[in-house]
Amino acid sequence: MKCKVCREPAIIDIRRHNANFCSEHFVRYCHDQVARSIKEFAMCSPGERLLVAVSGGKDSLAVWDILDSMGYEADGLYVGLGIGDYSEGSGRYVQAFAEQRNLRLIEIDLRESYDYDVPTAAAVTKRVPCSACGLSKRHLFDSAAVDGGYDAVVTGHNLDDEAAVLYGNVMRWQTNYLGRQKPVLAARKGFPRKIKPLVRLGEREMAAYCIVRGIDYQVEECPMAAGNKHLQYKEILNMQEAASPGSKAAFYFGFLRDAVDRFDDDPADDTLGRCERCGAPASSEICSFCRLVQRTEGAAPVSVPIPRSKRKSKAAERAISTSDGVTT
Ligand code: AMP
Ligand code: FES
Ligand code: ZN
Ligand code: ZN
């Protein structure tokens, strides 16, 4: 397998492009794909201040690295969600990355600043953890960007993420979400611009990028996301991609080219008022984030449940250790 550019040994093959690259040209390919997305969708311009939401995973650390290498003024934002060891480990990867590169990192910890965490909020609201998690992240990304005077919030959503979300929204004909599934969302009253510069790059490419660039990242999946539909959609699309390379990109970019504009992306936010507690845009007196904070007030902290896969192995361990005295 040889690099398409220099004919030296390749380290990765990208089937949908029918191309192989050595490490140097793979890094260049990733940068080119980001530059192309930025230009094509008019995401941002040199000189603008960007706030990169970094989770400690491969995608967001990679996009921060790429934007910094391209000369953008890009600060990081990490939200500590209080999901046990997973959040603590994720935070450490982000801090190490920022320190090594001397980049500015804003950290907000839900427990320290708002006296709740995602497991506790999930228990209080009796909803899936991703619901309180997503609500908290959206609110804090927006308010940190508006308060800090940033021009845009950057997230690490990649092609696999966007294709899976699109698939889910099409499966359920969530037309209101379809209209907003663009790689750039313009700033609106009280909301910053939001951009996704990795839409041309897949998950596997981002993992390879981090390895080549020596970026250490959180490899664990969130323990509270087990069984989440998004992961199922990704598996389905991976099967399709294996059978027919390029399907994911055709699905997503075809939607952006031919269909997204048929769905109205203009939520009726002219009527939005301001939250009485925090000043964020809100459709009632108190915004949904502040309502969540109020609801969790005084709730006893809930610990992170053990994911089902690990539970099974614990049960199996117990079964083995108690059956006929066999302990291995
Ligand atoms: P997810 O919703 O977990 O798939 O994450 C999507 C994107 O949101 C990531 O690529 C990051 O840009 C951002 N993100 C997720 N979790 C956090 C976090 N705890 N702090 C800051 N940004 C995050
Ligand atoms: Fe949000 Fe897991 S990262 S619930
Ligand atoms: Zn090469
Ligand atoms: Zn509020």
Side-chain angles (χ1 to χ4, degrees), residues 139 275-282 285-291:
H139 176 88
C275 170
E276 281 177 6
R277 271 178 62 137
C278 73
E285 284 169 9
I286 307 280
C287 75
S288 39
F289 175 78
C290 289
R291 275 206 303 275

Side-chain angles (χ1 to χ4, degrees), residues 42 55 71 78 84 98 104 119 137 141 143 146 151 153 178 182 189 200 206 217 220 248 252 264-265 273 295 301 303:
S55 64
Y78 174 70
R104 177 160 187 256
K137 286 190 292 200
F141 294 174
S143 59
V146 171
D151 294 294
V153 171
L178 282 172
K182 293 177 182 171
K189 207 169 93 184
R200 292 197 162 277
M206 294 338 295
Y217 62 90
E220 299 286 329
K248 264 182 229 173
Y252 176 64
D264 187 7
D265 79 332
R295 283 183 75 182
S303 56

Side-chain angles (χ1 to χ4, degrees), residues 23 48 55 78 81 94 108 110 161-162 177 207 264 307:
S23 47
E48 286 192 325
S55 64
Y78 174 70
L81 301 163
V94 177
I108 304 174
L110 287 184
D161 295 321
E162 293 306 286
Y177 294 151
D264 187 7

Side-chain angles (χ1 to χ4, degrees), residues 214-251:
I215 300 171
D216 279 337
Y217 62 90
Q218 172 64 280
V219 287
E220 299 286 329
E221 287 281 352
C222 167
M224 308 204 75
N228 152 328
K229 285 228 164 36
H230 188 64
L231 298 176
Q232 289 172 23
Y233 296 146
K234 279 190 172 174
E235 275 177 35
I236 294 168
L237 291 175
N238 282 341
M239 277 173 11
Q240 173 66 29
E241 182 74 16
S244 175
S247 327
K248 264 182 229 173
F251 177 51

Side-chain angles (χ1 to χ4, degrees), residues 53-55 59-60 77-79 81 137 141 154-157:
V54 264
S55 64
D59 306 300
S60 46
L77 168 65
Y78 174 70
V79 178
L81 301 163
K137 286 190 292 200
F141 294 174
V154 180
T155 54
H157 293 96

